[in-house]
PDB file of all heavy atoms in Angstrom:
ATOM      1  N   VAL A  67       5.747  12.635 -17.550  1.00 97.00           N
ATOM      2  CA  VAL A  67       7.079  12.518 -16.966  1.00 97.00           C
ATOM      3  C   VAL A  67       7.492  13.858 -16.354  1.00 97.00           C
ATOM      4  O   VAL A  67       7.408  14.907 -17.002  1.00 97.00           O
ATOM      5  CB  VAL A  67       8.120  12.081 -18.022  1.00 97.00           C
ATOM      6  CG1 VAL A  67       9.523  12.080 -17.424  1.00 97.00           C
ATOM      7  CG2 VAL A  67       7.773  10.691 -18.561  1.00 97.00           C
ATOM      8  N   VAL A  68       7.936  13.818 -15.101  1.00 97.00           N
ATOM      9  CA  VAL A  68       8.439  15.008 -14.422  1.00 97.00           C
ATOM     10  C   VAL A  68       9.955  15.071 -14.535  1.00 97.00           C
ATOM     11  O   VAL A  68      10.536  16.111 -14.849  1.00 97.00           O
ATOM     12  CB  VAL A  68       8.020  15.010 -12.933  1.00 97.00           C
ATOM     13  CG1 VAL A  68       8.680  16.165 -12.181  1.00 97.00           C
ATOM     14  CG2 VAL A  68       6.504  15.079 -12.810  1.00 97.00           C
ATOM     15  N   GLU A  69      10.608  13.926 -14.297  1.00 96.00           N
ATOM     16  CA  GLU A  69      12.071  13.912 -14.294  1.00 96.00           C
ATOM     17  C   GLU A  69      12.583  12.487 -14.516  1.00 96.00           C
ATOM     18  O   GLU A  69      11.941  11.522 -14.103  1.00 96.00           O
ATOM     19  CB  GLU A  69      12.592  14.449 -12.952  1.00 96.00           C
ATOM     20  CG  GLU A  69      14.076  14.705 -12.893  1.00 96.00           C
ATOM     21  CD  GLU A  69      14.515  15.361 -11.589  1.00 96.00           C
ATOM     22  OE1 GLU A  69      13.685  15.431 -10.640  1.00 96.00           O
ATOM     23  OE2 GLU A  69      15.671  15.800 -11.510  1.00 96.00           O
ATOM     24  N   VAL A  70      13.728  12.378 -15.186  1.00 97.00           N
ATOM     25  CA  VAL A  70      14.418  11.103 -15.358  1.00 97.00           C
ATOM     26  C   VAL A  70      15.841  11.270 -14.820  1.00 97.00           C
ATOM     27  O   VAL A  70      16.574  12.161 -15.250  1.00 97.00           O
ATOM     28  CB  VAL A  70      14.467  10.671 -16.843  1.00 97.00           C
ATOM     29  CG1 VAL A  70      15.223   9.356 -16.988  1.00 97.00           C
ATOM     30  CG2 VAL A  70      13.061  10.537 -17.408  1.00 97.00           C
ATOM     31  N   ILE A  71      16.211  10.422 -13.861  1.00 96.00           N
ATOM     32  CA  ILE A  71      17.505  10.560 -13.187  1.00 96.00           C
ATOM     33  C   ILE A  71      18.331   9.294 -13.414  1.00 96.00           C
ATOM     34  O   ILE A  71      17.881   8.188 -13.108  1.00 96.00           O
ATOM     35  CB  ILE A  71      17.321  10.786 -11.675  1.00 96.00           C
ATOM     36  CG1 ILE A  71      16.389  11.970 -11.425  1.00 96.00           C
ATOM     37  CG2 ILE A  71      18.668  10.984 -10.984  1.00 96.00           C
ATOM     38  CD1 ILE A  71      15.842  12.046 -10.024  1.00 96.00           C
ATOM     39  N   TYR A  80      17.893   3.731 -13.883  1.00 98.00           N
ATOM     40  CA  TYR A  80      17.329   5.074 -13.866  1.00 98.00           C
ATOM     41  C   TYR A  80      16.192   5.156 -12.848  1.00 98.00           C
ATOM     42  O   TYR A  80      15.594   4.140 -12.484  1.00 98.00           O
ATOM     43  CB  TYR A  80      16.767   5.453 -15.241  1.00 98.00           C
ATOM     44  CG  TYR A  80      17.808   5.660 -16.319  1.00 98.00           C
ATOM     45  CD1 TYR A  80      18.392   4.577 -16.968  1.00 98.00           C
ATOM     46  CD2 TYR A  80      18.182   6.952 -16.705  1.00 98.00           C
ATOM     47  CE1 TYR A  80      19.336   4.764 -17.973  1.00 98.00           C
ATOM     48  CE2 TYR A  80      19.123   7.149 -17.715  1.00 98.00           C
ATOM     49  CZ  TYR A  80      19.695   6.062 -18.341  1.00 98.00           C
ATOM     50  OH  TYR A  80      20.619   6.251 -19.321  1.00 98.00           O
ATOM     51  N   THR A  81      15.894   6.387 -12.443  1.00 98.00           N
ATOM     52  CA  THR A  81      14.716   6.673 -11.627  1.00 98.00           C
ATOM     53  C   THR A  81      13.814   7.604 -12.414  1.00 98.00           C
ATOM     54  O   THR A  81      14.264   8.645 -12.909  1.00 98.00           O
ATOM     55  CB  THR A  81      15.104   7.334 -10.287  1.00 98.00           C
ATOM     56  OG1 THR A  81      15.899   6.428  -9.525  1.00 98.00           O
ATOM     57  CG2 THR A  81      13.863   7.709  -9.493  1.00 98.00           C
ATOM     58  N   VAL A  82      12.555   7.213 -12.547  1.00 98.00           N
ATOM     59  CA  VAL A  82      11.589   8.026 -13.285  1.00 98.00           C
ATOM     60  C   VAL A  82      10.558   8.587 -12.304  1.00 98.00           C
ATOM     61  O   VAL A  82       9.960   7.838 -11.522  1.00 98.00           O
ATOM     62  CB  VAL A  82      10.883   7.197 -14.381  1.00 98.00           C
ATOM     63  CG1 VAL A  82       9.789   8.021 -15.055  1.00 98.00           C
ATOM     64  CG2 VAL A  82      11.896   6.708 -15.419  1.00 98.00           C
ATOM     65  N   ILE A  83      10.363   9.906 -12.361  1.00 98.00           N
ATOM     66  CA  ILE A  83       9.357  10.584 -11.542  1.00 98.00           C
ATOM     67  C   ILE A  83       8.208  11.007 -12.452  1.00 98.00           C
ATOM     68  O   ILE A  83       8.432  11.588 -13.518  1.00 98.00           O
ATOM     69  CB  ILE A  83       9.935  11.836 -10.844  1.00 98.00           C
ATOM     70  CG1 ILE A  83      11.229  11.503 -10.092  1.00 98.00           C
ATOM     71  CG2 ILE A  83       8.905  12.446  -9.896  1.00 98.00           C
ATOM     72  CD1 ILE A  83      11.075  10.553  -8.947  1.00 98.00           C
ATOM     73  N   LEU A  84       6.978  10.711 -12.031  1.00 98.00           N
ATOM     74  CA  LEU A  84       5.789  11.039 -12.808  1.00 98.00           C
ATOM     75  C   LEU A  84       4.889  11.993 -12.033  1.00 98.00           C
ATOM     76  O   LEU A  84       5.011  12.108 -10.809  1.00 98.00           O
ATOM     77  CB  LEU A  84       5.009   9.757 -13.138  1.00 98.00           C
ATOM     78  CG  LEU A  84       5.772   8.633 -13.843  1.00 98.00           C
ATOM     79  CD1 LEU A  84       4.922   7.363 -13.861  1.00 98.00           C
ATOM     80  CD2 LEU A  84       6.152   9.045 -15.251  1.00 98.00           C
ATOM     81  N   ILE A 103       6.560   1.159 -18.096  1.00 98.00           N
ATOM     82  CA  ILE A 103       6.156   2.507 -18.485  1.00 98.00           C
ATOM     83  C   ILE A 103       6.638   2.689 -19.920  1.00 98.00           C
ATOM     84  O   ILE A 103       7.802   2.431 -20.225  1.00 98.00           O
ATOM     85  CB  ILE A 103       6.786   3.583 -17.578  1.00 98.00           C
ATOM     86  CG1 ILE A 103       6.413   3.335 -16.104  1.00 98.00           C
ATOM     87  CG2 ILE A 103       6.350   4.970 -18.000  1.00 98.00           C
ATOM     88  CD1 ILE A 103       7.132   4.257 -15.122  1.00 98.00           C
ATOM     89  N   PHE A 112      10.287   1.325 -20.390  1.00 98.00           N
ATOM     90  CA  PHE A 112      11.005   1.299 -19.115  1.00 98.00           C
ATOM     91  C   PHE A 112      10.447   0.183 -18.241  1.00 98.00           C
ATOM     92  O   PHE A 112       9.238   0.130 -17.994  1.00 98.00           O
ATOM     93  CB  PHE A 112      10.848   2.651 -18.411  1.00 98.00           C
ATOM     94  CG  PHE A 112      11.614   2.806 -17.127  1.00 98.00           C
ATOM     95  CD1 PHE A 112      12.984   3.007 -17.134  1.00 98.00           C
ATOM     96  CD2 PHE A 112      10.954   2.768 -15.909  1.00 98.00           C
ATOM     97  CE1 PHE A 112      13.693   3.170 -15.944  1.00 98.00           C
ATOM     98  CE2 PHE A 112      11.645   2.927 -14.718  1.00 98.00           C
ATOM     99  CZ  PHE A 112      13.021   3.128 -14.739  1.00 98.00           C
ATOM    100  N   VAL A 126       6.947   9.621  -5.834  1.00 98.00           N
ATOM    101  CA  VAL A 126       7.149   8.184  -6.017  1.00 98.00           C
ATOM    102  C   VAL A 126       8.262   7.984  -7.039  1.00 98.00           C
ATOM    103  O   VAL A 126       8.203   8.522  -8.147  1.00 98.00           O
ATOM    104  CB  VAL A 126       5.857   7.498  -6.490  1.00 98.00           C
ATOM    105  CG1 VAL A 126       6.113   6.018  -6.772  1.00 98.00           C
ATOM    106  CG2 VAL A 126       4.770   7.643  -5.428  1.00 98.00           C
ATOM    107  N   GLN A 127       9.256   7.206  -6.659  1.00 98.00           N
ATOM    108  CA  GLN A 127      10.398   6.936  -7.525  1.00 98.00           C
ATOM    109  C   GLN A 127      10.229   5.561  -8.177  1.00 98.00           C
ATOM    110  O   GLN A 127      10.160   4.547  -7.487  1.00 98.00           O
ATOM    111  CB  GLN A 127      11.703   6.966  -6.721  1.00 98.00           C
ATOM    112  CG  GLN A 127      11.963   8.289  -6.023  1.00 98.00           C
ATOM    113  CD  GLN A 127      13.234   8.264  -5.185  1.00 98.00           C
ATOM    114  OE1 GLN A 127      13.769   7.202  -4.880  1.00 98.00           O
ATOM    115  NE2 GLN A 127      13.715   9.428  -4.824  1.00 98.00           N
ATOM    116  N   HIS A 128      10.169   5.542  -9.507  1.00 98.00           N
ATOM    117  CA  HIS A 128      10.081   4.297 -10.264  1.00 98.00           C
ATOM    118  C   HIS A 128      11.493   3.949 -10.714  1.00 98.00           C
ATOM    119  O   HIS A 128      12.098   4.690 -11.503  1.00 98.00           O
ATOM    120  CB  HIS A 128       9.159   4.464 -11.469  1.00 98.00           C
ATOM    121  CG  HIS A 128       7.810   5.020 -11.118  1.00 98.00           C
ATOM    122  ND1 HIS A 128       7.603   6.373 -10.883  1.00 98.00           N
ATOM    123  CD2 HIS A 128       6.605   4.422 -10.960  1.00 98.00           C
ATOM    124  CE1 HIS A 128       6.332   6.574 -10.584  1.00 98.00           C
ATOM    125  NE2 HIS A 128       5.696   5.409 -10.631  1.00 98.00           N
ATOM    126  N   ILE A 129      12.020   2.846 -10.215  1.00 98.00           N
ATOM    127  CA  ILE A 129      13.424   2.499 -10.458  1.00 98.00           C
ATOM    128  C   ILE A 129      13.505   1.279 -11.366  1.00 98.00           C
ATOM    129  O   ILE A 129      12.799   0.285 -11.148  1.00 98.00           O
ATOM    130  CB  ILE A 129      14.143   2.229  -9.128  1.00 98.00           C
ATOM    131  CG1 ILE A 129      14.049   3.471  -8.224  1.00 98.00           C
ATOM    132  CG2 ILE A 129      15.613   1.854  -9.357  1.00 98.00           C
ATOM    133  CD1 ILE A 129      14.479   3.235  -6.797  1.00 98.00           C
ATOM    134  N   PHE A 132      15.765   1.076 -19.027  1.00 98.00           N
ATOM    135  CA  PHE A 132      15.140   1.215 -20.333  1.00 98.00           C
ATOM    136  C   PHE A 132      15.511   0.024 -21.206  1.00 98.00           C
ATOM    137  O   PHE A 132      16.646  -0.453 -21.175  1.00 98.00           O
ATOM    138  CB  PHE A 132      15.578   2.516 -21.001  1.00 98.00           C
ATOM    139  CG  PHE A 132      14.943   3.742 -20.405  1.00 98.00           C
ATOM    140  CD1 PHE A 132      15.592   4.446 -19.395  1.00 98.00           C
ATOM    141  CD2 PHE A 132      13.696   4.178 -20.828  1.00 98.00           C
ATOM    142  CE1 PHE A 132      15.010   5.571 -18.828  1.00 98.00           C
ATOM    143  CE2 PHE A 132      13.109   5.298 -20.269  1.00 98.00           C
ATOM    144  CZ  PHE A 132      13.762   6.001 -19.266  1.00 98.00           C
ATOM    145  N   PHE A 139      12.896   8.623 -21.722  1.00 97.00           N
ATOM    146  CA  PHE A 139      11.870   9.652 -21.627  1.00 97.00           C
ATOM    147  C   PHE A 139      12.502  11.031 -21.421  1.00 97.00           C
ATOM    148  O   PHE A 139      13.610  11.159 -20.898  1.00 97.00           O
ATOM    149  CB  PHE A 139      10.926   9.376 -20.454  1.00 97.00           C
ATOM    150  CG  PHE A 139      10.326   7.998 -20.453  1.00 97.00           C
ATOM    151  CD1 PHE A 139      10.234   7.264 -19.272  1.00 97.00           C
ATOM    152  CD2 PHE A 139       9.814   7.432 -21.609  1.00 97.00           C
ATOM    153  CE1 PHE A 139       9.678   6.000 -19.245  1.00 97.00           C
ATOM    154  CE2 PHE A 139       9.248   6.171 -21.598  1.00 97.00           C
ATOM    155  CZ  PHE A 139       9.193   5.446 -20.417  1.00 97.00           C
TER     156      PHE A 139
END
Side-chain angles (χ1 to χ4, degrees):
V67 175
V68 173
E69 190 174 11
V70 179
I71 306 164
Y80 291 79
T81 297
V82 175
I83 309 295
L84 305 170
I103 303 173
F112 184 75
V126 176
Q127 301 177 344
H128 308 79
I129 302 169
F132 286 93
F139 307 137

